Coordinates of all heavy atoms in Angstrom, one line a residue:
W29 N 44.8 42.8 105.5 CA 43.4 42.8 105.1 C 43.1 41.3 104.6 O 44.0 40.6 104.1 CB 43.2 43.7 103.9 CG 43.2 45.2 104.2 CD1 43.9 45.8 105.2 CD2 42.5 46.2 103.5 NE1 43.7 47.1 105.1 CE2 42.8 47.4 104.1 CE3 41.5 46.1 102.5 CZ2 42.2 48.6 103.7 CZ3 41.0 47.3 102.1 CH2 41.3 48.5 102.7
T30 N 41.8 41.0 104.7 CA 41.4 39.7 104.1 C 41.4 39.8 102.6 O 41.3 40.9 102.1 CB 40.0 39.3 104.7 OG1 39.1 40.3 104.4 CG2 40.1 39.0 106.2
S31 N 41.3 38.7 101.9 CA 41.5 38.7 100.5 C 40.4 39.4 99.7 O 40.6 40.1 98.8 CB 41.6 37.3 99.9 OG 40.5 36.5 100.3
G32 N 39.1 39.2 100.2 CA 38.0 39.9 99.5 C 38.1 41.4 99.4 O 38.1 42.0 98.4
P33 N 38.1 42.0 100.6 CA 38.3 43.5 100.6 C 39.5 44.0 99.9 O 39.5 45.0 99.3 CB 38.2 43.9 102.1 CG 37.5 42.7 102.8 CD 37.9 41.5 102.0
A34 N 40.6 43.3 100.1 CA 41.9 43.7 99.4 C 41.7 43.6 97.9 O 42.2 44.5 97.2 CB 43.0 42.8 99.9
A35 N 41.1 42.5 97.4 CA 40.9 42.4 96.0 C 39.9 43.5 95.5 O 40.1 44.1 94.4 CB 40.3 41.0 95.6
A36 N 38.9 43.8 96.2 CA 37.9 44.8 95.8 C 38.6 46.2 95.8 O 38.4 47.0 94.8 CB 36.7 44.8 96.8
M37 N 39.4 46.5 96.8 CA 40.1 47.8 96.8 C 41.1 47.9 95.7 O 41.2 48.9 95.0 CB 40.8 48.0 98.1 CG 41.5 49.4 98.3 SD 40.4 50.8 98.1 CE 39.6 50.7 99.7
G38 N 41.8 46.8 95.4 CA 42.7 46.8 94.3 C 42.0 47.0 93.0 O 42.5 47.8 92.1
A39 N 40.9 46.3 92.8 CA 40.1 46.5 91.6 C 39.6 48.0 91.4 O 39.6 48.5 90.3 CB 38.9 45.5 91.5
A40 N 39.2 48.5 92.5 CA 38.7 49.9 92.5 C 39.8 50.9 92.1 O 39.6 51.7 91.2 CB 38.1 50.3 93.8
I41 N 40.9 50.7 92.7 CA 42.1 51.6 92.4 C 42.6 51.4 91.0 O 42.9 52.3 90.3 CB 43.2 51.5 93.5 CG1 42.6 52.0 94.8 CG2 44.4 52.3 93.1 CD1 43.5 51.8 96.0
G42 N 42.6 50.1 90.6 CA 43.0 49.8 89.2 C 42.0 50.4 88.2 O 42.4 50.9 87.2
G43 N 40.7 50.4 88.6 CA 39.7 51.0 87.7 C 39.9 52.5 87.5 O 39.8 53.0 86.4
V44 N 40.3 53.1 88.6 CA 40.6 54.6 88.5 C 41.8 54.8 87.7 O 41.8 55.8 86.8 CB 40.8 55.2 90.0 CG1 41.3 56.6 89.9 CG2 39.5 55.1 90.8
V45 N 42.8 54.0 87.8 CA 44.0 54.2 86.9 C 43.6 53.9 85.5 O 44.0 54.7 84.6 CB 45.1 53.2 87.4 CG1 46.2 53.1 86.3 CG2 45.6 53.6 88.7
A46 N 42.8 52.9 85.2 CA 42.3 52.7 83.8 C 41.5 53.8 83.3 O 41.7 54.2 82.1 CB 41.5 51.4 83.8
L47 N 40.6 54.4 84.0 CA 39.8 55.5 83.6 C 40.8 56.7 83.3 O 40.7 57.3 82.2 CB 38.8 55.9 84.6 CG 38.0 57.2 84.3 CD1 37.2 57.0 83.0 CD2 37.0 57.5 85.4
W48 N 41.6 57.0 84.2 CA 42.6 58.1 84.1 C 43.4 57.9 82.8 O 43.6 58.8 82.0 CB 43.4 58.3 85.3 CG 44.4 59.4 85.2 CD1 44.1 60.7 85.6 CD2 45.7 59.5 84.7 NE1 45.2 61.5 85.4 CE2 46.2 60.8 84.8 CE3 46.5 58.5 84.1 CZ2 47.5 61.1 84.3 CZ3 47.8 58.9 83.6 CH2 48.2 60.2 83.8
G49 N 44.0 56.7 82.7 CA 44.8 56.5 81.5 C 44.1 56.5 80.2 O 44.6 57.1 79.2
N50 N 42.9 56.0 80.2 CA 42.1 56.0 78.9 C 41.6 57.4 78.6 O 41.6 57.8 77.4 CB 40.9 55.1 79.0 CG 41.4 53.6 78.8 OD1 42.2 53.3 77.9 ND2 41.0 52.8 79.7
W51 N 41.3 58.2 79.6 CA 40.9 59.6 79.4 C 42.0 60.5 78.9 O 41.8 61.3 78.0 CB 40.3 60.2 80.7 CG 39.9 61.6 80.7 CD1 40.6 62.7 81.1 CD2 38.6 62.1 80.1 NE1 39.9 63.8 80.9 CE2 38.7 63.5 80.3 CE3 37.5 61.5 79.5 CZ2 37.6 64.3 79.8 CZ3 36.5 62.4 79.1 CH2 36.6 63.8 79.2
H52 N 43.2 60.3 79.5 CA 44.3 61.2 79.2 C 45.3 60.7 78.1 O 46.1 61.5 77.6 CB 45.1 61.5 80.5 CG 44.4 62.4 81.5 ND1 44.2 63.7 81.3 CD2 43.8 62.1 82.6 CE1 43.6 64.2 82.3 NE2 43.3 63.2 83.1
Y53 N 45.2 59.4 77.8 CA 46.2 58.8 76.9 C 45.5 58.1 75.7 O 45.9 58.3 74.6 CB 47.1 57.9 77.7 CG 48.1 57.2 77.0 CD1 49.1 57.9 76.3 CD2 48.1 55.8 76.9 CE1 50.1 57.2 75.6 CE2 49.1 55.1 76.2 CZ 50.1 55.8 75.5 OH 51.1 55.2 74.8
T54 N 44.6 57.1 76.0 CA 44.1 56.3 75.0 C 43.2 56.9 74.0 O 43.3 56.9 72.8 CB 43.5 55.0 75.6 OG1 44.4 54.4 76.5 CG2 43.0 54.0 74.5
F55 N 42.1 57.5 74.6 CA 41.0 58.0 73.8 C 41.0 59.6 73.8 O 39.9 60.2 73.6 CB 39.7 57.5 74.3 CG 39.6 56.0 74.2 CD1 39.5 55.2 75.4 CD2 39.4 55.4 73.0 CE1 39.4 53.9 75.3 CE2 39.3 54.0 72.9 CZ 39.3 53.2 74.0
V56 N 42.1 60.2 74.0 CA 42.1 61.7 74.1 C 41.5 62.4 72.9 O 40.8 63.3 73.0 CB 43.5 62.2 74.4 CG1 44.5 62.0 73.2 CG2 43.5 63.6 74.9
E57 N 41.8 61.9 71.7 CA 41.2 62.5 70.5 C 39.7 62.2 70.2 O 39.1 62.8 69.4 CB 42.0 62.1 69.2 CG 42.0 60.7 68.8 CD 43.0 59.8 69.6 OE1 43.8 60.3 70.4 OE2 43.0 58.6 69.3
R58 N 39.2 61.3 71.0 CA 37.8 60.9 70.8 C 36.9 61.6 71.8 O 35.7 61.5 71.8 CB 37.6 59.4 71.0 CG 38.2 58.6 69.8 CD 37.9 57.2 69.9 NE 36.5 56.9 70.0 CZ 35.7 56.7 68.9 NH1 36.2 56.7 67.7 NH2 34.4 56.4 69.0
R59 N 37.5 62.3 72.8 CA 36.7 63.0 73.8 C 35.7 64.0 73.3 O 34.6 64.2 73.8 CB 37.6 63.6 74.9 CG 38.3 62.5 75.7 CD 39.0 63.0 76.9 NE 39.6 64.3 76.8 CZ 40.7 64.7 77.4 NH1 41.3 63.8 78.2 NH2 41.2 65.9 77.3
R60 N 36.2 64.8 72.3 CA 35.4 65.9 71.7 C 34.6 66.6 72.8 O 35.2 67.4 73.6 CB 34.5 65.3 70.6 CG 35.4 64.8 69.5 CD 34.5 64.4 68.3 NE 35.3 63.6 67.4 CZ 35.0 62.4 67.0 NH1 33.8 61.9 67.4 NH2 35.8 61.7 66.3
E61 N 33.3 66.4 72.8 CA 32.4 67.1 73.7 C 32.0 66.3 74.9 O 31.1 66.7 75.6 CB 31.2 67.7 72.9 CG 31.6 68.7 71.8 CD 30.5 69.2 71.1 OE1 29.3 69.2 71.6 OE2 30.7 69.6 69.9
S62 N 32.6 65.2 75.1 CA 32.2 64.3 76.2 C 32.7 65.0 77.5 O 33.8 65.5 77.5 CB 32.8 62.9 76.1 OG 32.2 62.2 75.1

Side-chain angles (χ1 to χ4, degrees):
W29 288 33
T30 58
S31 58
M37 183 61 75
I41 294 172
V44 170
V45 169
L47 176 61
W48 182 89
N50 285 312
W51 177 261
H52 289 287
Y53 178 63
T54 305
F55 297 112
V56 69
E57 65 274 2
R58 294 185 56 90
R59 290 191 324 212
R60 294 185 198 126
E61 296 179 26
S62 291

